[in-house]
């Protein structure tokens, strides 16, 4: 029984090193995008090509494992040293922006036509294994013709999705008082800040950082944690944090079943690709509303589509499971606080979101807040996190395995 691995957070190296050696019921194949799954399956069931395909695959994965094993991992420093080199934020004169409300608001049946204006088409082409910046990819000498074809068909289907309301888009946004304690962010029930609603446990970069030249002289590149961008509890500053969950995938199963009943795999893949683009666009739209209105810390912002894609705005929206906050478990508390079930969203036992075309995360408003990759962490930080979360080290090892040496 072959096992095909794919998706945004998978890779050929991870498949070869972590999965293939432990699956013995058949070949394990990394499939870079959904459009290639058909050709892979054809190779696997072909009487003539299967043996060569599987043999070449095993040889390739063995090379990948050897290359991976030969790599020298990044040099780590101990957790105390990483904390001493935390991001330097001057909180003395900082005035934390206050949201217009505390608690949550939900937005149901959001206008798809409005969301479509925020679509970033760049990642759409990767679904079809077409790589290059948009719109230049449309005139590329090699893939331009194919790119123009799928783009035209994508625009046509998107128009039908909007006009015929194939999908329903819902969102939930919430703001709560918050302060940091080390790598953790305490989220409070109200402005009294006496009762903790939940704690967002974070991780700090632990790799040895190079020294950088600056106007102040040579200074070490900081070992960052997201909590660095929330005012410390000891500062007395009344800071806040935002939460959000958006989906554009409600109703997709019904429409997907129609394509499958017609054996139209291309149409089904196109639908899912566009639903994903709408989910990301919805996240962009709601973030803009938060910055300019609901939180209002950038009320005078005026950015075009290209500037939004390049994230040339104040603040960030980190998502659990991604490089700056790789631990997924906080999604459970986040979804409970947002009332995500009320807008048709849920989590699997492994914290995957349903519907699949969904986005969730946090809003941080500080001007210095930026994205980064936590990367490898040491045993001391793993044990420290286990203590803070009141969980066993072995349980956290399961969830944070990719970060451990």
């Amino acid at each position: 029984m072959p096992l095909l691995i794919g998706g945004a957070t998978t890779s050929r190296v991870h498949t070869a090193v972590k999965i293939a050696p432990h699956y013995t019921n058949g070949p394990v194949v990394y499939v870079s995008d959904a459009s290639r799954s058909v050709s892979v399956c054809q190779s696997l069931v072909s009487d003539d090509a299967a043996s060569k395909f599987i043999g070449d695959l095993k040889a390739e994965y063995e090379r990948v494992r050897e290359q991976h094993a030969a790599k020298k991992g990044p040099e780590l420093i101990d957790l105390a040293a990483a904390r001493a080199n935390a991001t330097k934020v001057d909180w003395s004169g900082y005035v934390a922006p206050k949201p217009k409300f505390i608690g949550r608001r939900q937005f149901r049946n959001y206008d798809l036509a409005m969301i479509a204006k925020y679509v970033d088409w760049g990642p759409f082409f990767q679904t079809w294994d077409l790589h290059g910046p948009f719109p230049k990819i449309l005139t590329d000498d090699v893939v331009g013709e194919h790119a123009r074809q799928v783009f035209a068909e994508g625009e046509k289907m998107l128009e039908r999705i909007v006009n015929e309301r194939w999908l329903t888009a819902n969102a939930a946004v919430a703001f709560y008082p918050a302060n940091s304690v080390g790598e953790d962010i305490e989220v409070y029930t109200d402005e009294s800040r006496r009762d903790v609603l939940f704690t967002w446990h974070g991780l700090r970069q632990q790799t040895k950082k190079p020294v950088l030249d600056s106007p102040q002289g040579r200074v070490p590149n900081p070992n960052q944690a997201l909590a660095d961008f929330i005012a410390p509890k000891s500062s007395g500053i009344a800071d806040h944090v935002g939460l959000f969950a958006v989906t554009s995938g409600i109703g997709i199963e019904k429409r997907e079943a129609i394509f499958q009943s017609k054996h139209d795999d291309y149409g089904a893949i196109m639908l899912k690709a566009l639903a994903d683009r709408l989910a990301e666009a919805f996240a962009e739209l709601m973030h803009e509303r938060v910055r300019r209105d609901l939180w209002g810390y950038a009320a005078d912002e005026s950015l075009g589509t290209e500037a939004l894609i390049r994230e040339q705005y104040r603040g960030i929206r980190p998502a659990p499971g991604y490089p700056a906050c790789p631990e997924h478990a906080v999604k459970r508390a986040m979804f409970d606080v947002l009332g995500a079930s009320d807008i048709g969203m849920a989590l699997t036992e492994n914290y995957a979101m349903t519907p699949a075309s969904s986005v969730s995360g946090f809003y941080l408003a500080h001007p210095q807040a930026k994205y980064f990759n936590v990367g490898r962490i040491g045993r001391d930080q793993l044990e420290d996190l286990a203590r803070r979360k009141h969980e066993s080290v072995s349980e956290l090892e399961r969830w944070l395995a990719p970060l451990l040496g």
Side-chain angles (χ1 to χ4, degrees), residues 268-339:
I269 294 172
M270 178 70 78
L271 173 64
K272 287 185 281 190
L274 291 172
D276 289 347
R277 290 297 86 220
L278 285 171
E280 295 290 347
F282 200 6
E284 196 72 77
L285 183 158
M286 292 306 300
H287 194 187
E288 184 181 67
R289 285 196 62 179
V290 164
R291 296 191 303 272
R292 299 183 61 184
D293 178 28
L294 300 177
W295 198 337
Y297 59 81
D300 297 330
E301 176 189 291
S302 179
L303 299 175
T305 303
E306 190 63 27
L308 290 176
I309 292 172
R310 293 179 180 177
E311 299 170 348
Q312 295 175 346
Y313 42 69
R314 170 178 166 175
I316 57 175
R317 56 171 191 273
Y322 277 74
C325 43
E327 218 262 322
H328 284 268
V330 72
K331 282 182 183 175
R332 193 72 65 190
M334 185 173 69
F335 268 48
D336 289 344
V337 169
L338 288 167

Side-chain angles (χ1 to χ4, degrees), residues 125-399:
F125 295 96
Q126 296 171 17
T127 303
W128 314 103
D129 203 20
L130 301 171
H131 301 279
F134 177 81
K136 287 185 178 179
I137 193 173
L138 301 178
T139 55
D140 185 88
D141 292 339
V142 178
V143 300
E145 182 178 356
H146 192 186
R148 289 191 298 273
Q149 177 185 343
V150 297
F151 181 51
E153 291 166 351
E155 283 192 309
K156 185 177 179 180
M157 183 178 284
L158 179 60
E159 185 177 357
R160 292 194 65 188
I161 290 172
V162 172
N163 293 339
E164 300 175 25
R165 299 181 181 180
W166 285 5
L167 304 173
T168 299
N170 294 335
V173 172
F175 304 108
Y176 284 94
N179 285 110
S180 63
V181 180
E183 284 74 49
D184 296 340
I185 298 172
E186 291 185 349
V187 182
Y188 308 107
T189 57
D190 54 44
E191 291 291 7
S192 71
R193 297 171 187 260
R194 288 191 296 266
D195 298 321
V196 176
L197 185 61
F198 69 94
T199 300
W200 180 13
H201 298 281
L203 291 167
R204 182 173 298 283
Q205 291 176 321
Q206 222 174 326
T207 55
K208 186 176 181 179
K209 294 301 189 79
V211 176
L212 304 176
D213 291 318
S214 76
Q216 292 77 35
R218 290 177 64 76
V219 297
N221 194 11
N223 291 84
Q224 302 172 94
L226 285 174
D228 294 344
F229 308 119
I230 296 286
K233 192 174 183 178
S234 59
S235 70
I237 296 173
D239 212 343
H240 295 80
V241 71
L243 304 76
F244 76 94
V246 303
T247 181
S248 61
I250 297 173
I252 194 171
E253 295 88 353
K254 179 180 178 181
R255 186 59 53 177
E256 189 178 0
I258 294 174
F259 282 115
Q260 290 174 342
S261 68
K262 299 177 181 177
H263 305 288
D264 185 357
D265 293 332
Y266 178 77
I269 294 172
M270 178 70 78
L271 173 64
K272 287 185 281 190
L274 291 172
D276 289 347
R277 290 297 86 220
L278 285 171
E280 295 290 347
F282 200 6
E284 196 72 77
L285 183 158
M286 292 306 300
H287 194 187
E288 184 181 67
R289 285 196 62 179
V290 164
R291 296 191 303 272
R292 299 183 61 184
D293 178 28
L294 300 177
W295 198 337
Y297 59 81
D300 297 330
E301 176 189 291
S302 179
L303 299 175
T305 303
E306 190 63 27
L308 290 176
I309 292 172
R310 293 179 180 177
E311 299 170 348
Q312 295 175 346
Y313 42 69
R314 170 178 166 175
I316 57 175
R317 56 171 191 273
Y322 277 74
C325 43
E327 218 262 322
H328 284 268
V330 72
K331 282 182 183 175
R332 193 72 65 190
M334 185 173 69
F335 268 48
D336 289 344
V337 169
L338 288 167
S341 60
D342 297 337
I343 60 169
M345 293 180 64
L347 294 172
T348 69
E349 62 180 8
N350 292 319
Y351 304 111
M353 291 178 289
T354 59
S357 298
S358 300
V359 181
S360 64
F362 291 88
Y363 297 127
L364 301 185
H366 195 278
Q368 285 182 237
K370 62 180 181 179
Y371 299 107
F372 58 90
N373 183 10
V374 168
R376 295 279 183 177
I377 64 171
R379 180 81 182 185
D380 54 353
Q381 184 163 191
L382 178 71
E383 293 175 348
D384 186 82
L385 179 64
R387 176 186 56 78
R388 283 154 33 211
K389 294 192 68 175
H390 305 288
E391 292 184 11
S392 68
V393 171
S394 60
E395 178 67 12
L396 284 178
E397 282 179 324
R398 174 191 171 201
W399 294 108

Side-chain angles (χ1 to χ4, degrees), residues 4-6 12 29-44 53 57 60 125-131 146 265-266 269:
L4 274 60
I5 302 292
R12 185 174 65 105
V29 189
Y30 171 66
V31 186
S32 58
D33 59 81
S35 65
R36 299 194 62 178
S37 60
V38 174
S39 61
V40 168
C41 289
Q42 285 175 336
S43 296
L44 289 170
F53 178 81
L57 188 70
E60 178 192 355
F125 295 96
Q126 296 171 17
T127 303
W128 314 103
D129 203 20
L130 301 171
H131 301 279
H146 192 186
D265 293 332
Y266 178 77
I269 294 172

